[in-house]
Amino acid sequence: MNAKEKATRMNELLDTYGNLLTPTQQKIMSDKYRCDLSLQEISEHFYISRAAALDAIKVAGKKLEEYEKKLHIVEKKEKIVNIIKDPKLKNKIKEVW
């Protein structure tokens, strides 16, 4: 997974499960993946070392992945979106409306 794909994945997980993280974890993950801040910028903002910032990102990311592994909400959402994008279904929807 490249950096862009990882950022997209983390943003999807944050949108779905972000409220299950601590406020600090939410902010650090938002700074990293939504604001695209560097570890140096995050460490300066939170008065922590770069290593601590990286560790916080890894721990929070692992938690988000664990939530998805148990609940599968993002996976189900992607399946629903793909079904809705199906041209056959679009025609059926048009028939109903």
Side-chain angles (χ1 to χ4, degrees):
M1 183 179 303
N2 66 35
K4 186 176 180 179
E5 290 169 337
K6 181 166 183 156
T8 300
R9 172 76 173 167
M10 284 297 126
N11 277 314
E12 289 172 345
L13 295 175
L14 274 171
D15 288 344
T16 305
Y17 306 111
N19 289 334
L20 300 174
L21 298 175
T22 68
T24 302
Q25 287 174 321
Q26 290 176 29
K27 181 66 176 138
I28 288 174
M29 293 298 280
S30 178
D31 285 353
K32 175 64 179 165
Y33 293 107
R34 292 189 174 135
C35 300
D36 197 29
L37 297 184
S38 68
L39 290 177
Q40 184 65 39
E41 292 168 316
I42 293 168
S43 66
E44 289 171 1
H45 182 257
F46 287 92
Y47 303 103
I48 58 176
S49 68
R50 289 179 72 237
L54 179 60
D55 185 56
I57 291 165
K58 286 181 179 180
V59 168
K62 186 175 179 180
K63 275 188 172 184
L64 293 172
E65 290 289 357
E66 287 173 1
Y67 293 136
E68 176 60 14
K69 186 176 179 181
K70 291 177 183 176
L71 301 171
H72 306 283
I73 294 172
V74 173
E75 178 187 337
K76 290 173 186 174
K77 178 183 165 189
E78 289 172 359
K79 286 180 181 178
I80 291 168
V81 168
N82 288 333
I83 290 169
I84 291 171
K85 288 182 178 179
D86 183 345
K88 293 176 186 174
L89 181 62
K90 280 186 179 180
N91 291 334
K92 287 183 180 182
I93 292 171
K94 286 179 183 177
E95 289 173 13
V96 172
W97 288 101

